[in-house]
Amino acid sequence: MSRPSVAEVSALIADLAALRQNRTSAEYAALMERKADLLERIAADAPGDAETAEVARLARERADALKSAN
């Protein structure tokens, strides 16, 4: 798993803001998948940080639930 870049985090935040205005459920699910992937990579880069790992786990659960709903 590669270390996330500041550019990736910035791009995700920008996409989240843009999607707030006009979104479909499929677009939202895809964005939550990206968010979960990014948070998992951040957690992998911070071994031993239980809070970061928990945030990543919760994001993955949400993304998986959205994926199965579509």
Side-chain angles (χ1 to χ4, degrees), residues 7-19:
E8 287 177 294
V9 174
S10 295
L12 179 66
I13 291 169
D15 289 346
L16 283 168
L19 195 61

Side-chain angles (χ1 to χ4, degrees), residues 5-53:
S5 69
V6 172
E8 287 177 294
V9 174
S10 295
L12 179 66
I13 291 169
D15 289 346
L16 283 168
L19 195 61
R20 276 189 189 171
Q21 296 172 20
N22 301 318
R23 73 175 188 207
T24 67
S25 59
E27 289 171 327
Y28 184 69
L31 190 56
M32 292 302 101
E33 178 74 20
R34 276 180 55 202
K35 176 183 170 185
D37 290 345
L38 185 60
L39 290 172
E40 286 173 337
R41 290 173 45 215
I42 290 169
D45 196 53
D49 187 336
E51 185 176 352
T52 300

